Amino acid sequence: MKLEVVRPGFATTVQDLGRPGHAALGVGRSGAADRESFRLANRLVGNPAGAAALEVTLGGLVLRATGVTTLAVTGASCPLSKGGPNGPITLWPGEELALGTAVSGLRCYVAVRGGIDVPPVLGSRATDTLGKLGPPPVAAGMLLPIGPAPRAFPVVDLAPRAAWPAEPVLRVTPGPRRDWFTAPDELLSTVYTVSPDSDRVGIRLTGPALARARHDELPSEACVPGSLQVPPSGRPILFHADHPTTGGYPVIAVVEEADLDLAAQLRPGQTVRFRAAQDFPPAS
């Protein structure tokens, strides 16, 4: 069976849990930005947690079934043409499922029973938008292959979730270049705004600039998802699923892995704060 893409929405990609373990080759982890919502979508249709699904930015996706198909939609809150979020939805042959524009959160996840069965690259079906690995972004007219249905049946028919906070607070630990800033603790006392110039690579933040104490040349360094890099503008960039190396700019702090799912749902124009996940050493 296949799913026909009638309309791809604002931006839709195929994602799974990514391709970890290839950093030495310059290949990032990629995969679903909000991993908790992704896993829940798969659980609702009886798939293994890592089965490939669709990540939909802001909604707008329209799918048409070619056979009897079970799906689930999780993540950002958006109106659906059939069924509801966080529960299984059955489509009959020729029937469509349309996702409206998200009203809360940024990314929706659409899992289909059997998973999206595109060819894996380096062991993953994830689309890496920076490295250009995996399947291309979803486009109108695509027929997405569906894998064999798993033997297990869904054991949950509804999984309500709390609304996304209006002003999220992300926990951070000190970064390797914290001492490169004159007042690094200003990161914890500033309210930042999410820039429209944000994507799966990084979340750009606007607000007061962080002043540098050192202006040395810094070789490009490896980093992890959640790294808060500070470019010459002094305004942090939160590296996310498809992040690169640092590009020679210092990393002042790192967002806790457990808070990256929440970071993935930050919308342009939304405010965000950071707080220490542990006691920070005093600034030198």
Side-chain angles (χ1 to χ4, degrees):
M1 289 202 305
K2 296 184 178 182
L3 268 179
E4 180 184 354
V5 180
V6 179
R7 191 170 67 233
F10 298 100
T12 300
T13 56
V14 177
Q15 298 296 337
D16 56 17
L17 290 177
R19 47 181 69 84
H22 298 289
L25 303 175
V27 176
R29 183 177 75 185
S30 193
D34 177 354
R35 296 158 78 84
E36 182 180 358
S37 294
F38 173 86
R39 289 188 177 100
L40 176 59
N42 272 321
R43 184 159 64 94
L44 288 166
V45 295
N47 284 344
L54 298 177
E55 180 179 276
V56 188
T57 302
L58 277 176
L61 176 70
V62 179
L63 298 170
R64 181 181 295 133
T66 62
V68 179
T69 307
T70 301
L71 306 96
V73 182
T74 62
S77 176
C78 65
L80 304 176
S81 62
K82 182 177 183 179
N86 304 322
I89 301 168
T90 299
L91 296 184
W92 300 96
E95 195 171 12
E96 294 183 355
L97 175 66
L99 280 64
T101 302
V103 296
S104 175
L106 183 68
R107 293 180 169 95
C108 306
Y109 292 88
V110 181
V112 54
R113 183 168 170 79
I116 305 297
D117 195 20
V118 295
V121 177
L122 292 178
S124 169
R125 295 180 169 87
T127 300
D128 184 335
T129 60
L130 181 66
K132 307 302 181 186
L133 294 174
V138 171
M142 277 187 175
L143 291 173
L144 301 172
I146 301 173
R151 292 185 178 181
F153 286 93
V155 295
V156 180
D157 57 10
L158 186 62
R161 299 184 66 186
W164 303 107
E167 187 177 286
V169 178
L170 305 179
R171 295 168 296 170
V172 295
T173 53
R177 306 295 176 186
R178 182 171 181 267
D179 60 349
W180 280 47
F181 298 87
T182 57
D185 289 342
E186 287 182 358
L187 177 75
L188 306 178
S189 59
T190 300
V191 179
Y192 290 99
T193 302
V194 178
S195 165
D197 189 20
S198 300
D199 53 23
R200 282 179 48 85
V201 175
I203 301 168
R204 295 180 179 272
L205 303 173
T206 60
L210 294 164
R212 291 268 292 269
R214 292 179 56 177
H215 298 274
D216 311 28
E217 290 291 330
L218 183 65
S220 183
E221 298 177 312
C223 60
V224 296
S227 296
L228 280 163
Q229 174 187 264
V230 183
S233 68
R235 293 167 179 84
I237 301 173
L238 199 173
F239 279 168
H240 218 279
D242 293 346
H243 71 87
T245 56
T246 61
Y249 304 132
V251 171
I252 188 172
V254 179
V255 174
E256 292 279 275
E257 175 84 17
D259 288 357
L260 290 180
D261 294 339
L262 177 57
Q265 298 294 349
L266 291 172
R267 297 166 65 96
Q270 190 171 10
T271 57
V272 60
R273 294 175 179 267
F274 300 101
R275 73 172 176 86
Q278 59 190 47
D279 289 337
F280 276 24
S284 57

